[in-house]
Amino acid sequence: MKNTTLYLKTSAVYFFILLFCYAAVSKASDFENFQIQIGQSPLLSAYADSISYVVIFTELLIVLLLIFPRTQIAGLYSSTALMSAFTLYIYLILNYSDFVPCSCGGLLEKLGWTEHLIFNIFCVLFGIAAVFISEKYSMRSYATITFALLCSNLLSCALIVFLFLDSEYIIKKENNFTRRFLMHPLLKTHTADLAHTGFYFAGFSDGRIYLGDRNFPQNLISYDTALAKSDQMKIDLDVTKHVYRKLEIKIHKGNYYVYDGTVPILMRGTIGNPTVTTISYNDAFFTQMEVLNDYTFGIRTQSSKTKELLLGKIKIQADGKNKVELFSNLLQKQKDGVFDSDGYLSFDQSRKTLSYIYTYRNQFLIMDTLLQLQRKASTIDTIKTAQLITESLSDGRHKIKNIPMKVNGRGISYGGLLFNPSELRGRNESVKRWKNNTVVDLYNTTSNEYAGSLYIEKDHNKGMSDFIVTEKHLYAVIGNRLVRYQLTHSLTKHFNTGKPKTVPESRHNY
């Protein structure tokens, strides 16, 4: 009997030496990939840099404890506690996490998470049995041994729970530029070939996707949602009356709107009818426009006095005396008030909120349809101040003297989420995957929380140039292809399409 118990103890010692030695060596030999996996962990991503070293060090320390007879019992206690921590870690991932990262590498790489959980439970039970066998001939009572096991295992599990709760808070509220990628948020379902690469999304209406054409700006192309059938319409414009330089089209509820930032004009037409009517002329110059409703338009313009960028709105009046309101306190100047305030407007029809995301810093604004500021929030990168150098010219214009660091792309708001194509690689993010994909970060516009990220694969090294989001799909222009992706539950569960309470006009205090 004594030989049997001794054999079991020796087997446990050798088993854990082999397990932890192999695990530590495999992690250290592919350390960069191990850090990336830890960075994608829903429990440990905020601590990926330090945890990656601590795990390897702990495993090697346990191996050393197990090698020497005097410290073998301490090694078995430590082995059991560490495996309990790993077991709880997997349980939390499977039951309480939106993100399920890749399994750890090495010997157990091909095991699924459930099989991994079963293996870990076996290791914990094996370790507990080995501890009792090793302590059999000591002066300690079973109660003392049990208490020591409970304390060591509960302490290790408590550490995992703490890391989980604290990491969740840091990632969602105080992110240090660590991304978490949603599990299969998009399914590529259809593609359509485009004539060239100059297309952009004009909008979505009545089950059809509309594309504008920068090469032929009077053309409006529409596709059904399956991308099977397309139609084209040429808008009638008197190009001799105005010198247009940058015509763009927006679609809203059966109408299309044509505007040009170099000409203070806004025209409206009905989809299917190429004839347009001018609804605003000489009211305001503007470089960006979003349709808030049939008669109100959010704009980004420039102050005639300071030359700084401003947000505002144009309200179309029945008597033709349109009303223009500018809000000088929405965009915050950091250096010149022009380039440092550059960004993109987007209107969320489902939430009736207008967003503005800065190009060169980690901030975005959420406003209601009256352009009252609801909240400011930050993206997960760490660039708080625009990294650019500007100089003022004699005519009041500004010029960039360096190549600025672009932080955010053209963000799109839909369903209470801001979809932001980020220009920067996150911490512990695979360089290869980042180069081969366009990264889109998602932010909850009501809770100011980071919701996750997704990849959109490039096509022959050409990234996504524009995209649009609907209730069930994401459509993207990638090179000269129009691609449809189906949204899966891992993404749509973050939607919040309930309309916020509207603010009466009398409460507008700007």
Side-chain angles (χ1 to χ4, degrees):
M1 187 66 179
K2 183 176 181 180
N3 289 336
T4 302
T5 57
L6 183 61
Y7 173 76
L8 288 174
K9 174 195 171 183
T10 304
S11 298
V13 169
Y14 283 127
F15 171 77
F16 284 118
I17 288 175
L18 176 64
L19 178 66
F20 291 129
C21 188
Y22 185 88
V25 171
S26 64
K27 292 181 179 73
S29 62
D30 194 7
F31 187 70
E32 182 180 359
N33 186 50
F34 174 55
Q35 278 197 318
I36 290 171
Q37 290 174 344
I38 292 292
Q40 291 305 305
S41 164
L43 274 68
L44 309 174
S45 48
Y47 302 99
D49 290 340
S50 56
I51 288 293
S52 56
Y53 291 99
V54 169
V55 169
I56 295 175
F57 174 79
T58 302
E59 289 175 338
L60 291 176
L61 178 61
I62 292 175
V63 169
L64 289 175
L65 292 174
L66 291 169
I67 288 175
F68 300 102
R70 287 187 178 183
T71 56
Q72 279 182 351
I73 293 178
L76 289 172
Y77 274 106
S78 301
S79 300
T80 306
L82 185 60
M83 293 310 298
S84 292
F86 288 163
T87 302
L88 180 61
Y89 167 77
I90 294 174
Y91 177 80
L92 290 174
I93 284 178
L94 293 176
N95 291 277
Y96 297 99
S97 174
D98 296 333
F99 306 85
V100 182
C102 297
S103 179
C104 63
L107 188 65
L108 306 176
E109 184 176 11
K110 298 190 182 299
L111 289 183
W113 282 105
T114 302
E115 292 82 3
H116 212 143
L117 179 65
I118 295 171
F119 175 81
N120 282 11
I121 292 173
F122 164 77
C123 290
V124 172
L125 296 176
F126 193 26
I128 290 173
V131 167
F132 275 103
I133 291 171
S134 299
E135 293 275 35
K136 184 176 180 180
Y137 302 103
S138 70
M139 299 299 292
R140 298 185 183 92
S141 64
Y142 280 113
T144 303
I145 298 169
T146 302
F147 179 75
L149 279 169
L150 281 174
C151 287
S152 59
N153 283 266
L154 288 176
L155 184 62
S156 64
C157 290
L159 178 61
I160 290 296
V161 172
F162 168 77
L163 290 174
F164 171 61
L165 295 176
D166 201 49
S167 185
E168 284 293 294
Y169 177 81
I170 290 174
I171 292 298
K172 291 182 178 180
K173 295 290 188 179
E174 300 177 357
N175 197 294
N176 56 358
F177 206 9
T178 301
R179 287 193 171 99
R180 288 181 178 174
F181 288 91
L182 301 177
M183 289 298 292
H184 309 297
L186 304 176
L187 296 177
K188 186 177 179 180
T189 55
H190 292 84
T191 62
D193 291 331
L194 300 172
H196 48 79
T197 60
F199 290 93
Y200 65 93
F201 286 102
F204 177 82
S205 180
D206 298 325
R208 294 191 72 83
I209 301 293
Y210 291 86
L211 295 174
D213 188 342
R214 300 194 190 283
N215 294 336
F216 303 95
Q218 291 176 245
N219 291 348
L220 183 63
I221 300 173
S222 69
Y223 284 85
D224 60 7
T225 55
L227 307 186
K229 296 181 179 180
S230 64
D231 293 309
Q232 182 170 316
M233 181 183 74
K234 185 175 181 180
I235 299 171
D236 290 337
L237 291 178
D238 186 354
V239 294
T240 61
K241 192 173 182 181
H242 302 289
V243 181
Y244 298 114
R245 294 188 180 91
K246 192 183 176 184
L247 278 172
E248 291 202 25
I249 304 170
K250 291 280 186 182
I251 300 294
H252 177 75
K253 293 183 177 180
N255 292 324
Y256 61 90
Y257 298 85
V258 185
Y259 63 98
D260 188 315
T262 62
V263 180
I265 191 169
L266 176 59
M267 296 165 280
R268 177 167 59 198
T270 303
I271 293 175
N273 185 346
T275 303
V276 295
T277 301
T278 299
I279 59 175
S280 172
Y281 182 64
N282 271 338
D283 293 319
F285 287 90
F286 53 91
T287 53
Q288 292 185 36
M289 184 273 288
E290 287 291 323
V291 186
L292 307 184
N293 56 52
D294 291 339
Y295 302 99
T296 309
F297 305 86
I299 61 171
R300 193 193 72 175
T301 183
Q302 198 168 17
S303 169
S304 58
K305 296 180 179 179
T306 65
K307 305 301 180 183
E308 296 175 6
L309 295 182
L310 302 173
L311 298 183
K313 65 177 181 176
I314 300 175
K315 191 168 185 179
I316 306 302
Q317 306 281 12
D319 60 3
K321 297 179 180 179
N322 299 333
K323 184 179 180 181
V324 178
E325 291 184 84
L326 301 179
F327 307 95
S328 59
N329 57 339
L330 284 173
L331 300 183
Q332 290 186 329
K333 176 181 176 179
Q334 289 186 333
K335 296 185 178 181
D336 64 323
V338 181
F339 296 109
D340 64 352
S341 298
D342 195 13
Y344 301 93
L345 273 175
S346 178
F347 186 60
D348 185 345
Q349 286 287 349
S350 64
R351 293 286 302 171
K352 302 301 179 186
T353 57
L354 185 68
S355 65
Y356 186 84
I357 186 165
Y358 289 100
T359 300
Y360 300 111
R361 55 175 127 152
N362 66 344
Q363 192 179 71
F364 61 91
L365 312 177
I366 303 297
M367 298 154 282
D368 60 22
T369 54
L370 304 178
L371 269 72
Q372 286 186 309
L373 182 65
Q374 293 184 335
R375 61 189 60 85
K376 295 179 183 178
S378 296
T379 57
I380 60 174
D381 58 86
T382 57
I383 309 299
K384 295 182 179 180
T385 304
Q387 306 295 301
L388 49 83
I389 301 172
T390 63
E391 64 176 351
S392 299
L393 303 179
S394 57
D395 59 1
R397 293 180 300 159
H398 294 269
K399 177 183 177 181
I400 295 181
K401 296 180 66 176
N402 66 329
I403 300 176
M405 178 181 291
K406 190 173 182 181
V407 177
N408 301 309
R410 180 175 171 268
I412 298 294
S413 295
Y414 181 81
L417 288 180
L418 176 63
F419 293 72
N420 174 44
S422 176
E423 300 291 332
L424 303 178
R425 184 171 66 90
R427 295 178 63 187
N428 305 308
E429 187 174 348
S430 169
V431 175
K432 182 178 180 181
R433 294 201 69 183
W434 181 73
K435 288 183 177 179
N436 294 334
N437 294 271
T438 298
V439 181
V440 179
D441 298 324
L442 310 178
Y443 301 93
N444 189 310
T445 59
T446 57
S447 65
N448 296 356
E449 291 184 348
Y450 166 63
S453 300
L454 56 89
Y455 281 131
I456 295 181
E457 188 176 4
K458 294 181 179 180
D459 184 10
H460 296 91
N461 292 323
K462 293 181 179 178
M464 178 180 69
S465 59
D466 199 11
F467 70 107
I468 191 172
V469 181
T470 66
E471 183 180 1
K472 297 180 180 179
H473 299 98
L474 183 148
Y475 297 85
V477 174
I478 305 175
N480 64 339
R481 293 179 184 273
L482 175 59
V483 185
R484 187 184 85 163
Y485 299 90
Q486 181 180 332
L487 307 182
T488 68
H489 178 67
S490 69
L491 191 156
T492 57
K493 68 182 178 182
H494 294 285
F495 281 161
N496 179 10
T497 55
K499 295 179 181 179
K501 294 180 180 180
T502 56
V503 181
E505 190 79 29
S506 59
R507 289 184 58 190
H508 198 278
N509 297 318
Y510 289 105

